[in-house]
Amino acid sequence: MADLRLEHLSKRIGGHSVTHDVSLSVPDGAFCVFVGPSGCGKSTLLRLIAGLEEASAGRILVGGRDVTQVPAWDRDLAMVFQSYALYPHMTVRDNIAFALRSARRPEPEVAAKVAEAARILQLDSLLDRKPAQLSGGQRQRVAIGRAIVKQPKLFLFDEPLSNLDAELRVHMRLELARLHRQLGTTIVYVTHDQVEAMTLATQIVVLRDGRVEQVGSPLQLYDAPDNLFVAGFIGSPKMNLLAATRQGDRLVLPGCGGQSVPLPPLAALPAEGVPLHLGLRPQAISATGAQSLDLVIEVVEHLGSETLVHARAPGSAELVTALVTGGRTLSPGQPFTAGFGTAALYLFDPTGQRLR
Ligand SMILES: Nc1ncnc2c1ncn2[C@@H]1O[C@H](COP(=O)(O)OP(=O)(O)O)[C@@H](O)[C@H]1O
Ligand SMILES: [Mg+2]
């Protein structure tokens, strides 16, 4: 068990900055998720921590030990990849035992640790099978088993569920959460899926173009995004982001037929006429509310207990999405009053920084 600290970590590949001055503190026992769009540098950051890439600048500390120059095998970490990388000719038992046998651990210890991992991962009945005789989820569990027996200070996971179908992904997500609770070991986990990040993490690190955009608990990021990128990335369905400009104490929305809403409470007023972005979560919209926008429904998605409504002001550019409870009678072409409270509004300046 150990905490992880990154200090001004950078990685340049071919003159291009892939990891840019990343500083981060992951507490001991945390489930830390790196999330961001494809190509934002998540895997590179994880591989730097693992020692599979060499840092261009900065330091990596695991449990207070500076491992920046330490080779991968001596960092006391275990990594699980998206491609399970199992040995096809070996049984499940031998795959899980492989690292321990390579380290020449005594056979009784190997047997005990494999049995323990098999019990935790419910692989007992599969130990004599070969990987080809396993389902995707079972293979993923074997890959995790290989990591567990090393009893590492830190687990590193790179998109471990991406190759599984939707139902199995939900199931494995629960298993990973249970595993983390059971082992208590610090986990650093990479995914492009913000739902996976929200459901698994105790700490989320949002990455974009090799930089940290924001760090916080899932609900901190959901409730208080620092900028437009995090606001749009965290939360499903996505936050509505509408063009807005201040006129007096109101915000005029040119993409919603010039309708206006009152300014949310702010420490400092933005200049009049400056192009701003107004954020409003689909979940914050209902049929009633102190404020409202008059829209017309374009598309309706009936989810059962809830309904997703996509509507816009007649002849206007911007589509507004609302997630309303019930809504069974809603259909395209109907007028839709999108109600909300001023407290639900987020405002961002032209650079994307949140105005508070
Ligand atoms: N070995 C490499 N050579 C050149 N570019 C690379 C190399 N590895 C990664 N990159 C680039 O670095 C960026 C981040 O890649 P990666 O860390 O794999 O992103 P992610 O895992 O978030 O999808 C991408 O633009 C990718 O093209
Ligand atoms: Mg990746």
Side-chain angles (χ1 to χ4, degrees):
M1 304 255 295
D3 69 328
L4 168 70
R5 227 167 57 235
L6 308 181
E7 296 179 355
H8 303 291
L9 196 62
S10 292
K11 174 70 180 174
R12 301 185 67 81
I13 300 176
H16 177 67
S17 181
V18 177
T19 302
H20 190 85
D21 192 25
V22 171
S23 292
L24 178 67
S25 198
V26 179
D28 185 15
F31 198 131
C32 174
V33 177
F34 295 170
V35 69
S38 178
C40 72
K42 304 179 296 293
S43 294
T44 304
L45 192 53
L46 202 68
R47 291 168 60 81
L48 283 166
I49 297 166
L52 301 173
E53 301 272 359
E54 202 181 324
S56 306
R59 298 207 304 163
I60 302 163
L61 295 103
V62 177
R65 175 188 176 215
D66 186 342
V67 299
T68 319
Q69 304 299 329
V70 172
W73 56 267
D74 195 22
R75 290 195 185 189
D76 221 349
L77 316 172
M79 188 149 167
V80 178
F81 298 92
Q82 176 180 350
S83 62
Y84 319 124
L86 302 178
Y87 298 108
H89 59 287
M90 287 186 193
T91 62
V92 167
R93 183 191 318 279
D94 291 342
N95 264 288
I96 294 176
F98 186 79
L100 299 173
R101 293 209 174 109
S102 301
R104 305 199 183 287
R105 305 305 308 164
E107 205 50 38
E109 179 192 326
V110 174
K113 283 189 172 160
V114 171
E116 170 71 0
R119 186 185 60 75
I120 291 170
L121 295 165
Q122 290 148 20
L123 287 168
D124 314 72
S125 60
L126 306 173
L127 284 172
D128 294 314
R129 293 205 196 166
K130 300 265 176 70
Q133 298 165 301
L134 302 176
S135 70
Q138 290 166 339
R139 282 180 215 171
Q140 189 52 269
R141 294 219 295 274
V142 177
I144 294 169
R146 285 201 312 192
I148 287 180
V149 293
K150 293 197 208 166
Q151 296 181 315
K153 288 214 170 88
L154 207 63
F155 283 112
L156 306 178
F157 287 91
D158 193 349
E159 309 241 11
L161 308 186
S162 296
N163 286 350
L164 307 178
D165 65 47
E167 195 180 331
L168 197 51
R169 244 186 348 252
V170 172
H171 175 73
M172 284 302 292
R173 217 160 66 197
L174 293 176
E175 294 217 350
L176 283 171
R178 181 178 58 80
L179 187 71
H180 177 245
R181 227 181 23 253
Q182 204 168 347
L183 300 176
T185 309
T186 313
I187 293 179
V188 181
Y189 184 105
V190 162
T191 178
H192 64 275
D193 178 352
Q194 65 89 25
V195 174
E196 224 169 274
M198 291 295 280
T199 52
L200 282 173
T202 57
Q203 179 185 40
I204 295 181
V205 179
V206 181
L207 292 170
R208 179 198 194 187
D209 294 339
R211 292 164 202 265
V212 174
E213 289 280 315
Q214 192 172 352
V215 180
S217 71
L219 291 181
Q220 278 168 352
L221 297 193
Y222 183 85
D223 291 336
D226 279 345
N227 55 54
L228 201 56
F229 182 79
V230 175
F233 194 78
I234 298 289
S236 176
K238 264 169 74 83
M239 183 189 280
N240 293 293
L241 294 166
L242 309 170
T245 52
R246 180 173 80 84
Q247 268 178 32
D249 58 359
R250 295 189 72 83
L251 289 164
V252 179
L253 309 177
C256 290
Q259 297 183 69
S260 71
V261 298
L263 269 179
L266 296 172
L269 287 184
E272 289 204 0
V274 167
L276 307 169
H277 306 271
L278 182 71
L280 175 61
R281 293 212 181 271
Q283 295 85 348
I285 298 176
S286 61
T288 57
Q291 309 304 327
S292 61
L293 293 171
D294 293 321
L295 308 171
V296 174
I297 297 178
E298 210 161 282
V299 178
V300 177
E301 296 174 81
H302 291 291
L303 306 176
S305 65
E306 295 174 314
T307 301
L308 258 178
V309 181
H310 307 277
R312 72 173 91 221
S316 290
E318 289 181 317
L319 207 55
V320 175
T321 298
L323 183 64
V324 297
T325 45
R328 285 172 170 249
T329 60
L330 295 174
S331 64
Q334 289 177 344
F336 180 71
T337 303
F340 50 89
T342 314
L345 298 175
Y346 297 83
L347 201 58
F348 303 91
D349 75 12
T351 71
Q353 284 308 300
R354 166 106 178 267
L355 297 168
R356 297 169 196 262

